[in-house]
Amino acid sequence: MKRIALLGMPNTGKSTLFNRLTGGSARVGNWPGITVDLLAAKIPVGGAIAELVDLPGIYDLHGYSDDERVVRHFLEEQSIDLLLILVNGVQLERQLVLALQLAELGIPAVLLVNMIDEARSLGLSIDCGKLGAEIELPVVAISAKYGEGRQAMGQTMAHTLLTGGNARPGTAILRLAEDDRIEQRAAALAAQTMRAPLVLPERLTDRLDRLAMHNVLGLPLFFLTMLGVFAGVFWLGEPLQNGMQFLFDAFSTHVLEPALAPAPDLLRGFLIEGLYGGITTVAVFVPVIVLFFLFMALVEDSGYLSRAAYLMDALMARLGLDGRSFVMLLMGFGCNVPALMGTRVMRSRALRLLSMLVIPFSLCSARLQVFLFIIAALFTPWQAPWVLMSLYLMSFTLAFLTALLFKGRRAFRSEEPFVIELPPYRLPTLRQIWARGWMEVRHFLVRASKIIIAGVVLVWLLTHLPAGVAPAGPASYAGMIGHVMQPVLGPLGIDEKLTVALIFGFVAKEVVIGALAVIYGLNGDALTSQIAHSLNWIQAYSFMLFCLIYTPCLSTIATLRSESRSLRYTAFAVAWPLALAWFASFVFFQIASRM
Amino acid sequence: MVNNENHSQIHPMTLPLTSLVPGQIASVCAIHVGEALQHRLHAMGFRAGKRVRLIRQAAFRGPLHVRIDSTDIIIRHRDAHCIELRLT
Ligand SMILES: Nc1nc2c(ncn2[C@@H]2O[C@H](COP(=O)(O)OP(=O)(O)OP(=O)(O)O)[C@@H](O)[C@H]2O)c(=O)[nH]1
Ligand SMILES: [Mg+2]
């Protein structure tokens, strides 16, 4: 099978094009460095099937950050039949340098001048025919986002793949001395083939930035925006949550219970209170989470993250981190795993390790479900948003505090430069937003079908064995575990029942609420009121604090391990939050319950 | 090699990027950084002769927002200090 690779600088639209060509859902975002790993899919090209590979963006062929290394390995070790070289048409001159370097690898290539829509609206025009003749490569102008030029691109790809293009003997990896020559050539080419107005028109981006990047207003505006996003998710999410609950309850009373009426008690209990109750308690939150990710997609694709990096870098520098670390903390609000991977763009290992140490404090969407659930049970609708906000603040505070405490250690000290591109603001298309939402639903279904079911089943067994005990009573295994842990967790106000839920939250935070449903043998409103009855708000908040801070989920730990390639570091990154969680909950519970 | 010791090398007609005021334009004449950063800066458009415009600077010696042709870049104060410009 022929292999086609997408190459170009970061943020030029490679993943957007990949999605368009494959119908796939590679992550797209207006932030240089969204893709940090390979992603392949099969597409038909000129009557045959070929493999299309999306790669991280690179600035040149000399880089040595972990994402750039992925690309270099790929170029060195895989046979490639066609390179699709993407450049941002708005920045043709600058990006042409990389395109020319790549062309010299000697692999048949097509140059795609992307974002032609943006170039046009700035009044730029590019003579692709002339450019192609000069560099002896087929050149096609496209808009990956809006689909323009798709046909011409398809034909050119098929033709080049079939004929092998005009492949020339390649230099394996460029010699550094060649760079100057190529830079001059790129400048000359751009001058010949590109027509630009003398003064670029003022863009909407420039006007927005005057406010968004304002020295005084910028930061407050940023936090207000974040607040708006969370408030939006919270208020729009609640009716969705209630709707789901209603549907699940109706299904249980009208279908499940009658259908299972003849089944033996134990089996019925297991299926209804265990499996169904546990899973639906988590599933109720799916619409909220999808909503949350739609908002995240909007933020990520708007380009506002780069502005956040600009606004926060001065503070982050004092914490031994940089603007990119802050952006990854924000991405961690969705899920910690891609945020950890996103640090691959950092060249300094020390900076990467310190960033990865703080990212797990980011209140991810799984933890959000737990908090929404507990907050709804224990607090009034008026208190709820403030409680949630306090947890988000806590999440930032602990991340910053951790960085501050450890930045001086040799392993975490870095002198990494901070230079990033500032892309213009962009609006995602409905199709992009939809793709993102759908991806999250699928992601949930995959998790639900494995981890959540397994967790719920295990909790049910622990609460019902040995045979004949009162469910989740002191004689059950769950009760015994809770009892053993009491000396440690008792001082935090966390009782036996919550203890078991916490232990399972170690696998995945969503399991915490599924486990609570099973432990109490209730779901829906009955569960919330039971929890409201058996906990006071201080205990509940202490439990949430512990949940927020303690050991990240298993996937996060696995990612920490694979990205750091150090067992010692991973152990530390697990132990420190655990210790901090205990300490924070202890202090909170002891002080609050004495007041 | 990084910033400070380079002060002495800076020609009287030139100034570091950090000395520009917002709106001012000057052209790149030298970049005093290690090879790795040099490559990155090159790829971002900081090449000899290129005209750089300072758009704004963040508070508390935060990063600078500069524009080269149609590329906008954010660069930390410390790194910007190593870029030597000539007023045109
Ligand atoms: N206006 C416009 N925007 C585009 C086009 N193609 C991509 N974009 C936007 O550009 C941004 C970057 O797109 P990605 O596909 O994530 O870019 P990438 O090259 O994969 O970036 P990395 O993974 O960071 O290397 C997103 O906001 C896209 O929506 C286009 O043709 N026109
Ligand atoms: Mg990408």
Side-chain angles (χ1 to χ4, degrees), chain A residues 460-472:
Chain A
W460 191 86
L461 291 176
L462 286 180
T463 46
H464 288 76
L465 291 177
V469 296

Side-chain angles (χ1 to χ4, degrees), chain A residues 8-17 27-36 54-57 114-118 142-146 300-301 426-428 432:
Chain A
M9 288 199 180
N11 215 36
T12 49
K14 297 176 296 300
S15 303
T16 310
L17 183 61
R27 186 136 166 239
V28 166
N30 197 6
W31 166 259
I34 289 278
T35 309
V36 289
D54 184 24
L55 290 158
N114 192 26
M115 309 211 179
I116 201 68
D117 55 308
E118 281 186 2
I142 61 162
S143 166
K145 185 168 169 182
Y146 298 106
E300 268 177 34
D301 221 42
R426 295 185 171 119
L427 259 185
Q432 283 172 326

Side-chain angles (χ1 to χ4, degrees), chain A residues 81-94:
Chain A
D81 301 287
L82 177 65
L83 280 185
L84 292 181
I85 306 173
L86 260 84
V87 293
N88 176 347
V90 177
Q91 306 170 345
L92 187 66
E93 175 183 345
R94 176 171 79 85

Side-chain angles (χ1 to χ4, degrees), chain A residues 297-337:
Chain A
L298 206 63
V299 172
E300 268 177 34
D301 221 42
S302 67
Y304 198 38
L305 291 179
S306 307
R307 276 75 190 175
Y310 168 85
L311 294 169
M312 291 297 288
D313 185 64
L315 173 63
M316 299 310 281
R318 285 168 180 82
L319 301 174
L321 298 166
D322 74 16
R324 290 171 300 178
S325 321
F326 182 72
V327 168
M328 290 307 129
L329 271 177
L330 294 179
M331 280 195 186
F333 284 153
C335 173
N336 291 175
V337 172

